[in-house]
Amino acid sequence: MEKSIANRLRLHVREAAVHSRVPYSGRSRAALALMSDNSWTCGVRVENASYPLVIPALSAVLASANSIGRRDITALVFSDRVKLEEKTMIQQSFTGPMEQLAEDILGYPGSINGPGDELITGWHFPDKLDTATGIRIARQATQNAYIPESDFPVGALVVTRDQTCYQGVNVEHDDWTQTLCAERAAIAAAISAGETNIQRIYVSCPKAPAATPCGACRQVLCEIAPEAIVWMDRGEQTAECFRTLDLLPRAFTLN
């Protein structure tokens, strides 16, 4: 890879790292996924008071790419040196050989070109998004779910105060501890884009007539979007709404 290309990729990922949500460690971190058409997107570290629920930068960027239907990743770039656990996850997630081109770049040999435009992972609605539209978008997102283990698609849409929306899907992994739910994938996409005020979350779970967010997602939602309203779509069932704080009374906190 040409040095100038590598430096441009590093610039993008280091700029993204400032969006990290790291109130506990203070260690900002970002990962950039470069696609086959040279477009790219970034994910950042998202910490939670329940430390096992921290979303690593690599998980965030892989979930964001999957959530918009992009799995054609040709390189991964990190804001600092690639960690051993990241190498392991990459080896488990990609079928082709990826080589370490530099201490912070992994990619397919001979397939990396200069970065193009940033992938648009969020979009803005000029008017307030109505409930039916939010549910429809979350339901459509389920088509991008990566669910080889469960065949249980879930889609989510988070909406910020200024009506910018980010979608997420559940992204499964052979190591189930690395699996990310749709709600957390959508939150990670929003935070990676620098959003801080999530007001509504739409969750679609078409195969489960009694589904609600899992405990892990409730904990993350309570810390990151405590005042948000969650709409739950269950296919043919009537949609229900909940206050985030009502989903997990007495949520865990370090304060």
Side-chain angles (χ1 to χ4, degrees):
M1 181 193 298
E2 292 182 11
K3 186 175 181 180
S4 60
I5 293 174
N7 287 338
R8 276 185 283 163
L9 291 169
R10 291 187 179 108
L11 176 64
H12 289 314
V13 75
R14 289 170 184 168
E15 288 177 341
V18 301
H19 297 148
S20 301
R21 186 183 187 276
V22 288
Y24 305 108
S25 73
R27 295 192 293 269
S28 298
R29 186 165 177 78
L32 177 150
L34 184 68
M35 309 298 170
S36 59
D37 61 0
N38 302 326
S39 59
W40 54 274
T41 188
C42 288
V44 302
R45 178 178 173 88
V46 181
E47 293 182 351
N48 186 265
S50 178
Y51 289 173
L53 300 181
V54 167
I55 303 172
L58 176 57
S59 295
V61 76
L62 293 180
S64 292
N66 273 274
S67 295
I68 57 174
R70 297 297 296 265
R71 299 193 177 101
D72 55 324
I73 295 173
T74 60
L76 291 159
V77 186
F78 296 83
S79 53
D80 52 30
R81 179 175 297 183
V82 183
K83 298 179 180 179
L84 177 60
E85 60 268 28
E86 291 168 335
K87 292 181 182 179
T88 301
M89 185 175 178
I90 291 165
Q91 290 169 353
Q92 294 171 337
S93 301
F94 295 91
T95 55
M98 295 191 85
E99 65 174 352
Q100 189 157 350
L101 306 171
E103 64 178 14
D104 57 349
I105 300 176
L106 289 165
Y108 290 108
S111 63
I112 301 175
N113 297 307
D117 294 331
E118 181 176 7
L119 279 173
I120 304 301
T121 56
W123 60 98
H124 179 74
F125 282 84
D127 301 310
K128 184 175 181 179
L129 187 72
D130 63 86
T131 302
T133 301
I135 290 173
R136 176 178 56 81
I137 295 172
R139 190 179 294 182
Q140 288 176 341
T142 63
Q143 299 173 23
N144 293 330
Y146 181 69
I147 46 174
E149 299 289 336
S150 69
D151 190 33
F152 190 82
V154 183
L157 184 77
V158 300
V159 185
T160 67
R161 173 179 289 173
D162 69 353
Q163 299 301 297
T164 302
C165 303
Y166 299 85
Q167 70 184 35
V169 299
N170 49 331
V171 180
E172 295 180 348
H173 193 276
D174 286 345
D175 176 358
W176 287 9
T177 65
Q178 303 291 340
T179 293
L180 203 60
C181 298
E183 299 95 313
R184 283 178 283 158
I187 287 171
I191 292 176
S192 296
E195 302 286 357
T196 58
N197 195 314
I198 295 171
Q199 294 203 324
R200 278 169 289 143
I201 301 109
Y202 298 92
V203 185
S204 181
C205 195
K207 288 192 174 184
T212 59
C214 71
C217 287
R218 294 181 190 210
Q219 174 67 38
V220 173
L221 287 168
C222 280
E223 183 167 350
I224 293 177
E227 303 301 323
I229 298 295
V230 180
W231 279 93
M232 192 73 218
D233 166 51
R234 308 179 181 102
E236 298 301 319
Q237 305 293 320
T238 301
E240 290 186 80
C241 72
F242 313 87
R243 289 178 65 245
T244 294
L245 290 177
D246 292 338
L247 286 171
L248 190 62
R250 299 172 68 97
F252 176 72
T253 177
L254 291 178
N255 298 326

